[in-house]
Amino acid sequence: MDIEEILNDVVPSDQLKKAEESYYKASETGQMTKEIEFYYANCLVRSKYPADVRKGLSIFEAMCKKYREEEKRDYIYFLALGNARIKEYSKALHFAEAFLTVEPNNKQVMALEEVVKKKLRREGLEGAAVAGAAGLAIGGIIGLGYALLSKKKSSNDDECKK
């Protein structure tokens, strides 16, 4: 599976529901394990709903603080992936780069980093184009307003001469 497929992979709703039930049951009974937590957060990050993805990211962030250093690798990967899925490209790039400082030759994360950089560049260019178009539109409106004002002033001057 290439990185674009991974970014677009959506968890089946029945799988997410099952993970959610396990998570809340374990939470209520005090039987929470990092495997249950991880599975639920992973399913959330792969949800088609941005609110679910954000919830999964929140769980992964908490897990980064809670568990040993060696275990953070997977959490950081899913933080990068989840942020890319919700178009938080700066955050995704931050987590991908953090991952690569620990494991610099990870091909999957290198591919994710490249995709995120491309999306950041494209959004930057699109943002600049939108800003430029908005600037032209505002300039056009101001110019039109000035022209109308000048015409009105000219017509008022003509009225005064009568």
Side-chain angles (χ1 to χ4, degrees):
M1 199 182 257
D2 79 341
I3 201 66
E4 286 289 344
E5 287 179 61
I6 292 170
L7 281 170
N8 295 319
D9 179 45
V10 177
V11 68
S13 59
D14 60 324
Q15 186 179 352
L16 177 57
K17 185 176 168 105
K18 180 182 171 190
E20 184 176 45
E21 288 170 359
S22 295
Y23 179 83
Y24 284 109
K25 182 178 179 187
S27 184
E28 290 169 5
T29 62
Q31 304 286 319
M32 184 62 69
T33 65
K34 62 184 156 199
E35 290 78 19
I36 292 171
E37 234 175 331
F38 181 87
Y39 181 64
Y40 181 50
N42 180 318
C43 287
L44 286 167
V45 165
R46 294 176 23 242
S47 171
K48 64 182 174 182
Y49 302 107
D52 285 348
V53 176
R54 283 184 174 78
K55 186 175 182 179
L57 292 172
S58 181
I59 292 170
F60 277 126
E61 286 173 4
M63 290 177 79
C64 275
K65 294 173 185 162
K66 193 180 343 180
Y67 298 115
R68 294 189 324 246
E69 201 64 36
E70 312 85 55
E71 298 166 331
K72 290 183 183 182
R73 174 188 171 277
D74 291 333
Y75 312 147
I76 292 171
Y77 169 75
F78 282 100
L79 286 165
L81 187 69
N83 277 293
R85 285 180 55 95
I86 58 171
K87 298 177 175 41
E88 294 283 345
Y89 298 124
S90 295
K91 287 180 183 178
L93 187 59
H94 165 78
F95 287 114
E97 289 171 347
F99 186 104
L100 290 170
T101 60
V102 176
E103 197 176 313
N105 296 321
N106 186 297
K107 302 245 185 271
Q108 191 172 14
V109 177
M110 289 166 58
L112 176 60
E113 179 186 42
E114 190 55 39
V115 166
V116 168
K117 284 180 178 179
K118 283 180 188 173
K119 291 180 186 269
L120 264 172
R121 282 192 296 270
R122 184 172 54 228
E123 276 201 358
L125 292 175
E126 288 173 2
V130 168
L136 288 174
I138 291 170
I141 291 169
I142 291 171
L144 179 63
Y146 182 72
L148 290 173
L149 186 61
S150 294
K151 185 176 180 180
K152 186 174 181 177
K153 184 179 178 205
S154 171
S155 117
N156 282 346
D157 288 347
D158 290 343
E159 291 281 325
C160 290
K161 289 179 184 175
K162 287 184 184 177

